[in-house]
Amino acid sequence: MSGALYRAMLKGNARTIAGYTAGMVFYLWLFIWVYPSIQGSQSLNALLSKMPSGLMRVLGYTVGMTHLSSFLGGEFYSLLYLLIMAIYAILTAGKLVAHLIDNGSMAYLLATPVSRVRVAATQAAVLMTGILVIGAVTTVGALVGAHWFVHHAGLNAGHFVEMNVVGVLLFAVVAGYSFAFSCVARDERSALAFSAIVTMAFYALHTVSELSRHFHWMGRLSLFSAFNSQQLIRGQGHFAEVAPALVLAAVALFIIAIAGFRRRPLAL
Amino acid sequence: MIAVRGLTKRFAEGRGIFELTFGVKAGEVFGYLGPNGAGKSTTLRHLMGFLRADSGTATINNLDCWTEAPQVQASVGYLPGEIGFFDNMTGREFLDLLGRMRRHPYRDRRMELIDRFELDVNVPIRKMSKGMKQKVGLVAAVMHQPSVLILDEPTSGLDPLMQQRFLELILEEKSRGTTILMSSHVFSEVERVCDRVGIIQQGTLVAVQDIHELRQVQRKVFTVRLVDPDDAVRLKAAGCRITRQHDRELDIEVQGNDNAVIKALAHVEVGTLDIHPLNLEAIFMQFYGRKEA
């Protein structure tokens, strides 16, 4: 790590992080704000109960929509949250290494006595700081929003925080492989393409696996299966096993990324 | 100080650098010349530890440039050939960052350089012209007073006045004992500051020459306008090499024998006289094996 580089890079990315955080909290509050009007709708819940179970799993509803937690877990955390976090992780990972190699500015950083390993580790820390900030503010924002907009929200704060922790760790892994692509790909475009393809493939596997029991095995191949927001928000998501596994995977990916960066040729 | 031994790096399509061997002594200014794409930047990237050689070694201060890159960089200043910066930073923020990464702000030296190059460091770098960016890069390369300077096409983008300031800076660094390796495809700028020059062509070092020796073999052309055109015969008889004659005007090529030519000229009526030193460019053309300048 280089403290000076970390501060400078964080400052350069502060707007981006603030933007994603603000966007996330805005959407989250919008969801929480409309929830009471949906909650009261008996007909909607009756309709949902008549839908085929496979379709409901794909849409993220396995427990109906009678609680704010299942509404958020099924609606917000099964799509928008994933989308915003994935875009942040992929784009920022590309920007922090591959972009600097592409435009040549990496030369100035590596022309200082700070080693490649330290430069890469610092950039990784900047990337992770963003994910932590977005994740943490979203968590607090949701709890505050639920308190403000919904009477008797009935949101179990402990389980909700657990779900968010798993969400952050999930994207630590996404950031990990995106960062690895950023460190070793020949340019930023290919780094972004690889990261996006892998992420979409994981998401597609997860979605298909939910459709029918025949495809259930596909879920085991998908990273996104680790983030079962509906189960986690009710405290049934195997937090104790999932969280450490994600931490290990993320750490391993970042180590691979930094090792790759250390050895790669750089035309600077 | 800088030692390159058998350095080879092959790229696709037969490009790269092949078996390069040369050294730069402490306190020496070495000009690294060659046309675009000859392998100048590739060589410098090996010295900076950005590329790993297929075979051979590059060392600075006896430290291997690949395996001991961070230690090497503590004493090296580098100006990349491609100008790329952090778009959102101002010049000052950028220089601050590099100073802090070197754990020293180098304030006085930096201010002096900023004044010298008339640089406005409060402008965001993305709004700077190419020349301004080049100046920021130069300040970044020399502000920490490194003992070795590696400069890739340092004067590109600088206007003539700033080129002059740059050459003064190089001479100043040289007098401080800094070892300098600078690449260029403009011969005249190297001619003025370098002690030795190496010429690279298609990845191979074709010559390493002492600049003083080069000067000695440097040819000059005296362009003489005679009052009486028949005097040309007398000059020829006196041993002058006439390479061009057009009516009364003729070119006499001179190589180290200025005095003889002047004596010969003293015996004829000279209307006007111009002396053009043939620059190193012309001398180097023989290495390149092509005629165009």
Side-chain angles (χ1 to χ4, degrees):
Chain A
M1 281 278 289
S2 157
L5 182 61
Y6 178 79
R7 284 190 297 276
M9 286 292 149
L10 202 58
K11 195 180 159 205
N13 279 288
R15 270 191 185 176
T16 312
I17 295 171
Y20 279 92
T21 309
M24 190 81 106
V25 172
F26 171 76
Y27 276 115
L28 187 54
W29 281 356
L30 203 63
F31 273 74
I32 298 173
W33 181 63
V34 299
Y35 171 72
S37 61
I38 295 172
Q39 180 194 28
S41 169
Q42 302 252 324
S43 52
L44 182 65
N45 273 309
L47 181 69
L48 287 175
S49 67
K50 289 195 180 99
M51 294 282 194
S53 63
L55 179 65
M56 294 311 290
R57 273 200 300 273
V58 171
L59 294 174
Y61 298 107
T62 49
V63 288
M65 230 193 305
T66 47
H67 292 95
L68 176 62
S69 57
S70 53
F71 175 69
L72 286 182
E75 271 292 336
F76 186 78
Y77 279 89
S78 68
L79 187 61
L80 257 181
Y81 176 83
L82 303 181
L83 200 65
I84 295 173
M85 286 292 248
I87 292 173
Y88 168 79
I90 294 171
L91 290 185
T92 309
K95 206 165 86 176
L96 284 168
V97 180
H99 179 73
L100 301 187
I101 299 172
D102 273 8
N103 82 359
S105 41
M106 184 61 85
Y108 294 97
L109 303 184
L110 295 181
T112 66
V114 179
S115 69
R116 283 195 192 194
V117 170
R118 285 177 61 204
V119 168
T122 308
Q123 301 298 73
V126 174
L127 177 61
M128 277 313 300
T129 303
I131 287 178
L132 286 173
V133 167
I134 299 173
V137 175
T138 304
T139 310
V140 175
L143 293 171
V144 171
H147 183 72
W148 281 349
F149 301 131
V150 186
H151 288 292
H152 309 296
L155 200 59
N156 181 319
H159 294 155
F160 184 76
V161 169
E162 273 182 14
M163 178 188 71
N164 277 278
V165 168
V166 174
V168 164
L169 294 177
L170 173 82
F171 283 97
V173 176
V174 175
Y177 63 71
S178 302
F179 192 71
F181 287 130
S182 183
C183 282
V184 299
R186 55 194 293 255
D187 54 30
E188 187 184 9
R189 263 181 60 188
S190 28
L192 295 182
F194 289 139
S195 311
I197 288 167
V198 170
T199 308
M200 282 191 286
F202 276 146
Y203 190 74
L205 282 172
H206 174 69
T207 307
V208 173
S209 77
E210 297 280 285
L211 275 176
S212 140
R213 280 184 195 282
H214 294 300
F215 300 120
H216 218 68
W217 58 273
M218 283 193 185
R220 296 208 190 107
L221 303 176
S222 172
L223 174 65
F224 286 95
S225 303
F227 184 64
N228 189 332
S229 51
Q230 289 266 28
Q231 302 286 330
L232 283 162
I233 209 165
R234 287 185 294 141
Q236 296 165 356
H238 308 290
F239 177 79
E241 292 93 57
V242 170
L246 289 174
V247 170
L248 281 179
V251 169
L253 284 166
F254 277 109
I255 289 174
I256 290 169
I258 293 168
F261 183 69
R262 194 167 87 106
R263 303 179 59 82
R264 71 164 287 170
L266 291 163
L268 295 170
Chain B
M1 196 70 167
I2 300 176
V4 176
R5 293 188 199 94
L7 197 67
T8 301
K9 177 84 178 175
R10 291 186 171 80
F11 294 121
E13 295 158 20
R15 295 168 69 93
I17 50 174
F18 311 99
E19 293 287 332
L20 292 185
T21 299
F22 67 92
V24 185
K25 294 188 281 274
E28 187 180 36
V29 182
F30 189 89
Y32 196 45
L33 298 176
N36 291 326
K40 300 187 297 287
S41 295
T42 303
T43 313
L44 302 191
R45 283 167 188 160
H46 279 88
L47 287 169
M48 290 307 294
F50 297 159
L51 292 176
R52 182 161 56 160
D54 294 340
S55 62
T57 56
T59 58
I60 295 178
N61 279 333
N62 296 320
L63 293 166
D64 186 277
C65 293
W66 173 259
T67 56
E68 295 163 296
Q71 294 93 303
V72 169
Q73 268 121 14
S75 57
V76 172
Y78 176 60
L79 177 76
E82 306 271 324
I83 329 173
F85 286 103
F86 303 97
D87 304 332
N88 296 322
M89 286 185 195
T90 64
R92 183 184 304 282
E93 286 167 338
F94 175 72
L95 295 172
D96 276 345
L97 168 62
L98 294 186
R100 290 199 187 104
M101 285 178 78
R102 289 189 178 276
R103 296 180 178 282
H104 194 303
Y106 309 102
R107 286 232 169 71
D108 298 343
R109 176 68 172 154
R110 202 175 85 182
M111 275 315 297
E112 185 207 320
L113 289 164
I114 287 168
D115 285 346
R116 173 190 297 223
F117 286 111
E118 295 166 13
L119 184 62
D120 182 359
V121 286
N122 296 317
V123 178
I125 295 178
R126 76 186 125 82
K127 290 191 177 164
M128 289 183 179
S129 66
K130 186 170 181 259
M132 284 265 278
K133 288 181 184 171
Q134 187 74 357
K135 291 181 197 174
V136 176
L138 274 172
V139 175
V142 300
M143 68 175 182
H144 56 287
Q145 304 198 305
S147 57
V148 176
L149 270 176
I150 295 177
L151 309 170
D152 198 355
E153 308 266 346
T155 56
S156 78
L158 296 182
D159 59 46
L161 179 65
M162 287 304 148
Q163 285 191 15
Q164 185 59 33
R165 298 256 168 94
F166 166 75
L167 293 175
E168 284 162 12
L169 175 73
I170 291 298
L171 290 172
E172 213 177 278
E173 287 290 325
K174 185 180 171 180
S175 66
R176 277 202 317 119
T178 310
T179 307
I180 302 170
L181 171 57
M182 59 186 268
S183 79
S184 179
H185 59 265
V186 184
F187 300 107
S188 53
E189 69 182 32
V190 218
E191 184 182 0
R192 291 185 45 202
V193 292
C194 292
D195 301 310
R196 279 194 306 149
V197 284
I199 302 145
I200 183 173
Q201 185 183 17
Q202 289 170 2
T204 314
L205 205 59
V206 291
V208 178
Q209 288 283 333
D210 189 303
I211 203 101
H212 305 294
E213 287 170 15
L214 278 175
R215 284 229 179 88
Q216 279 175 6
V217 298
Q218 192 177 15
R219 292 173 301 171
K220 278 175 227 149
V221 173
F222 285 37
T223 300
V224 186
R225 197 173 173 82
L226 297 170
V227 176
D228 177 2
D230 295 337
D231 280 344
V233 185
R234 295 178 64 183
L235 288 174
K236 222 174 251 173
C240 294
R241 261 190 74 197
I242 297 172
T243 53
R244 183 183 70 95
Q245 183 170 6
H246 181 74
D247 195 15
R248 288 155 191 259
E249 197 177 273
L250 44 96
D251 284 352
I252 305 169
E253 198 178 275
V254 184
Q255 189 171 3
N257 56 339
D258 300 22
N259 196 32
V261 177
I262 290 165
K263 276 186 173 161
L265 287 174
H267 297 290
V268 300
E269 286 288 307
V270 175
T272 58
L273 171 64
D274 282 313
I275 301 172
H276 320 281
L278 274 186
N279 54 13
L280 293 178
E281 197 157 0
I283 297 173
F284 290 143
M285 279 310 141
Q286 68 194 44
F287 293 115
Y288 292 139
R290 53 189 169 103
K291 290 271 182 272
E292 71 269 32

